[in-house]
Amino acid sequence: MNDTIALLQRRRSAPPAMMTGPGPSADELSTILTIASRVPDHGKLAPWRLIVFEGDARQRAGRLALGIRLERQPDLDEAGRAEELSRFARAPLVVGVVSRAAPHVKIPEWEQVLSSGAVCMSMILAARALGFSATWLTEWPAYDAEFRAAIGLAGHERISGFIHIGRAPAIEDRPRPPLEDIVTTFPA
């Protein structure tokens, strides 16, 4: 078995709250982002972009999330407030993958969305290959227009995922679907 197959067989998501530092160095982050950008991209549109949340920017994003939540739910309890404040600080690094999919004369929007999803998965695999844990989450901020605008997204842009990257202890694998439940063979 080669190293790539072994890496793919070990891929698991750890809760960001389990992640510790140090996060990726500047060079490691550059490698992760470069690999993430090498995905299938019909028409060479780069229908995605990346937002890096590191250091104090993670707390700032949490304060934005808390502010929006409090506007809608002023009686939010202390646990809820703490959860929002730490939302982007649970892991040493978070990368927002932004889908810029838009109507195009030749390239279906769906293919552009899939390319953005491929960025997320490639980023996770690159981080894992460098010895980090990485988890793909969305949670409510990804679907909230006010939050998306607060972090600089245009009206047509969407969050494909927030990729949390750090170090985590080995976790037990969850059951995966048996192939006979998910694979069919098209008849000749």
Side-chain angles (χ1 to χ4, degrees):
M1 177 179 347
N2 70 34
D3 292 343
T4 303
I5 296 297
L7 173 76
L8 293 169
Q9 288 179 324
R10 289 190 315 268
R11 193 220 61 80
R12 289 169 184 76
S13 296
M18 291 178 64
M19 294 182 188
T20 61
S25 68
D27 285 344
E28 290 168 326
L29 178 57
S30 179
T31 296
I32 291 168
L33 299 179
T34 298
I35 289 170
S37 71
R38 295 182 55 89
V39 296
D41 175 12
H42 188 187
K44 301 176 193 159
L45 300 177
W48 31 258
R49 64 185 181 91
L50 308 171
I51 303 172
V52 176
F53 299 87
E54 58 187 342
D56 292 341
R58 298 171 306 140
Q59 285 79 18
R60 181 170 175 259
R63 288 191 304 272
L64 290 170
L66 175 59
I68 292 167
R69 218 34 223 281
L70 286 173
E71 285 175 13
R72 298 173 189 161
Q73 191 180 354
D75 61 342
L76 184 66
D77 65 18
E78 285 306 312
R81 291 169 189 246
E83 178 183 350
E84 294 307 333
L85 283 173
S86 67
R87 181 172 298 284
F88 291 89
R90 296 176 288 192
L93 175 74
V94 178
V95 180
V97 179
V98 178
S99 172
R100 302 188 302 184
H104 187 276
V105 67
K106 187 176 175 186
I107 313 303
E109 231 176 298
W110 176 239
E111 289 183 15
Q112 298 173 52
V113 171
L114 292 173
S115 182
S116 184
V119 168
C120 294
M121 195 66 218
S122 290
M123 188 178 309
I124 287 171
L125 294 174
R128 290 286 304 157
L130 290 173
F132 296 96
S133 184
T135 300
W136 178 354
L137 296 176
T138 49
E139 302 179 307
W140 75 265
Y143 304 101
D144 189 89
E146 188 176 351
F147 183 82
R148 290 193 314 260
I151 63 169
L153 271 65
H156 74 283
E157 293 181 318
R158 298 290 177 261
I159 296 291
S160 297
F162 292 110
I163 311 302
H164 298 251
I165 302 173
R167 301 188 185 275
I171 61 169
E172 194 171 314
D173 198 8
R174 66 175 171 80
R176 306 295 172 158
L179 291 182
E180 60 270 11
D181 291 351
I182 59 170
V183 177
T184 57
T185 302
F186 189 75

